[in-house]
Amino acid sequence: MKLEKMITGSRVWRSIVRHGVEPTNRNRVLTVVQNVFLHLHSAKVRRRNLEFSSTYYLGAVSLILFAILVGTGIVLMIYYHPSVPQAYNDMKELKFVVGSGMFLRNMHRWAAHGMVIVVFLHLLRVFYHRAYKPPREFNWVVGIVLLLMTLLLSYTGYLLPWDQLAFWAVSVGTNMVKAVPVLGDRIRYLLLGGNVVGESALLRFYVLHCVILPLALTIGVGVHLWRVRKDGSVAGSSGRKRG
Amino acid sequence: MRNDGGGLDRIWFWFAAMSFVFLVVLAISPIKDYFREYRKYQIDYRDQLLERAGTSRELRDANREGVRIRQIWNPDYPNRVDRCTSCHLGVENPGMADASPPLRTHPMTPHTPEQFASFGCVTCHRGQGRATTMMDAHGLASDWATPMLPLRYTEASCGTCHMDEEVPEANLLSRGRTLMAELGCYACHEVDGHEAWESDAPDLDGLSRKTSPEWLRTWIADPQSVRPTTKMPYIQLGQSEIDSLVAFLWTRPAGEDDFLQDEENPAGDPDRGETLFRESRCISCHTVDGRGNGSAAELSGIASKVNRRWLIEYLENPHALQPETKMPRYYFTRQDLLDLSQYLMDELWDPEAPPPVEQAFRPPQKMVEGGMRTFRKYGCSGCHQISGLTDRSRIGPELTGIGRKPVDQLDFGRRDDLPRTLHDWIGAKVSSPRSFRDGLKMPQFILEGEDLTAVITALLSNTGEVIPEEYRVERVIANYDPPGRFGELVDRYRCLSCHEVEGVGGDISTAPLTVEGSRVQESWLKNYLLRPSTIRPILTDRMIPLRMPEEDAAFLANFMQNVYVDDDIPARLFSEEPDPANVRRGSHLFYERYGCQACHMIDGRGGYFGPLLDEAGVRLKPGWVYWWVLGSQRWRDDVRCPDYGVPDRDALDLAAFISSLGRTP
């Protein structure tokens, strides 16, 4: 009983299971209204959280970059085959044949680099503004998860051109995974779909890069933004009292 | 900090400005697309086509030429796409022969422009087929490992599909591949498809019976200075290595020092020996002071190399001392051997050779062991067999795939002077192998000019690529082993050293024996084997008189008469003696219509380029003459007898005339 209380009483528990199972109408409404998946619009938005200067900074820039990445990425998928050696040939096709192909590729590439940088700056800003403190500690954790996903997207995308740089970067990266105690080799096997960086690794990275991670990131961004509206953004915590 | 009105205006201004900048940026890419590099060539091409158009249809076709990417796509040939024709537009258009590149017609090659569509451009020229800009397509961009081959090496690409040693119409490649086999590259380097290569360098057992340590020393130090035509390279050994190597060779098997004291062979008659030397036509294979056929060893200086006792033994039966030699076994009498050897020893000595030391050479055991190590270290056993060293391991790196090795994987060592290209690297490796760093073992071959280019070409042709089956022209390894007694005789007389049968054998004789039975008459052949007569006066390398017994000659002639036959060649052309009128008409055709006497001699009149026809009626079968006249190049591509397109009736009459020559009615 004591242990149960310790768990249910902890902050982590309370930030995830916020309402309990109390069968009152109020509780039911709260449960719905305070859940991003059940109620996309925040039930209450503070006026200042909607102000231009409070909203459109690093977080928004990374969101725009993400939108650019999704847009260019979908177009790039039209030209790309995740197979050996066609993947590299497709890079050449983009360069030499596809109209504005290099522009597309470069947009995608630079937006990806930009997103990593901007997301990092976003994190720094939140950190130095102590915006990870309550009531935004849950959003801080969501943000960290989003940063990880951004990095993973960047890394999985790196393999797709299937050039020497890609091959060796992923060889090195997945060898680093091997250093994980006990499970290292298995995780590496799971990632690569084999023991070497080959066609199945390419396919796995492709699916991760184009389907699983972007979907997860989209959902994560939804939660993140919803919490921003609900809890207030970084700017809202710059040491000033709430108005 | 709330936004006041002014702040918002500022933001809207920047928003507008950025939108405009963004629009401009977006416009750059389509504009670059529109003005691609090939655009100006394609417009130029269309203008030239319009200029050259002779018919309204050509005009219409020319007008239809727009700016677009042109490509040769071949899904069967590892999904190859070549877009070279986006700029090289006139490649398949014979009307553009006088245009300037890149619009010019492709020069004539053994493959027609129509065939280009089946294998593209990159297969032969290398570079990057998918690219549509010059720098990238020519493979000059840093991300492309196989830049275009310089034109002088293009034949290397013939060799990616044509695996044979002799590739028709690729003379440089064929020469390079032949040189590689002759020089013994495969002795040290493993190359796919050449595992069965056999050296024709002599076995080194029993050198102490044959030569002197002094001669051996001079030879090993620099073989080419002793005999410039030798295939043995300059190994660049130090003096102590040479001494120990001589010691090692001298003791395989241990020396017989009394061999020089030759008491059983009395002096012979050198004058008779000289006559024998001429009669036996030794220079059909050997050279003396560079004169002769050159397929066997130079004989000047032989007296300084070998001793007389060995020479007599060798002339008596070469196969006992060198089982793999190409030299036939003559039927020399004992007196013949004494006289011939006397002549060779008296006449053919080298004044520059060191005089043999009379006392016996007994090297210390340590030196012998050192010599064995040297022998191993330099891979001598790759070419020479010697008892006690059976492993013929190759000491050099494998060369399969060398022709496509990326430049960044090559070790240039000290050679900062070399351009960073594969062909320059190969060229330097082949022509001065030791210049890259210290401690390399590859010997110095004499390869210059055309020969060097040929070897580079042959090496570049070894790409190790997997070519689809239907494109490969496999290497045909001819295999012919004559059976039974015939085989024994062919071996004894080493017929295949000069003659070719079914693709096997030497190329010294102009007459492959494959259809000899359809060609000549048995009685003549038997006599010819016994006493060869001159057929082609222009040649120095004529048939040698082997002094064979009549029984052997009769058997060989009979066997060939019955076995070396081609059914396409009529065996009996005339059922009875041809009508003298036909003979007369044939004679007229011979002299007047076709002018055969320009090359052929009859009764001392006519040219001497072709075979004498004095005895043609006794020598040749009429069916052969008929078949020959109807298209001599069917026999061999390089036959120089012109193909006049002789009608059948003329061919019959010519055969009637020629088969009447030399026959007493």
Side-chain angles (χ1 to χ4, degrees), chain A residues 47 51-53 86 88-89 92-93 95-101 103 107 240, chain B residues 2-3 11 26 29-30 33 36 69 79 83 128 130-133 136 143-144:
Chain A
R47 186 188 174 82
E51 278 172 10
F52 198 77
S53 58
Q86 189 55 37
Y88 183 68
N89 289 342
K92 294 290 181 185
E93 301 295 287
K95 179 170 175 188
F96 295 121
V97 179
V98 176
S100 297
F103 180 70
M107 281 273 280
R240 286 173 292 111
Chain B
R2 283 166 185 267
N3 290 315
I11 285 171
L26 275 180
S29 184
D33 265 356
R36 285 201 194 226
I69 289 176
N79 196 15
R83 306 210 164 94
Q128 186 174 188
R130 286 178 186 271
T132 51
T133 61
D136 285 291
D143 69 339
W144 204 249

Side-chain angles (χ1 to χ4, degrees), chain B residues 171 196 217 298 362 428 554 572:
Chain B
N171 297 336
R217 210 165 277 140
E298 164 76 38
R362 286 183 215 282
R572 300 187 70 80

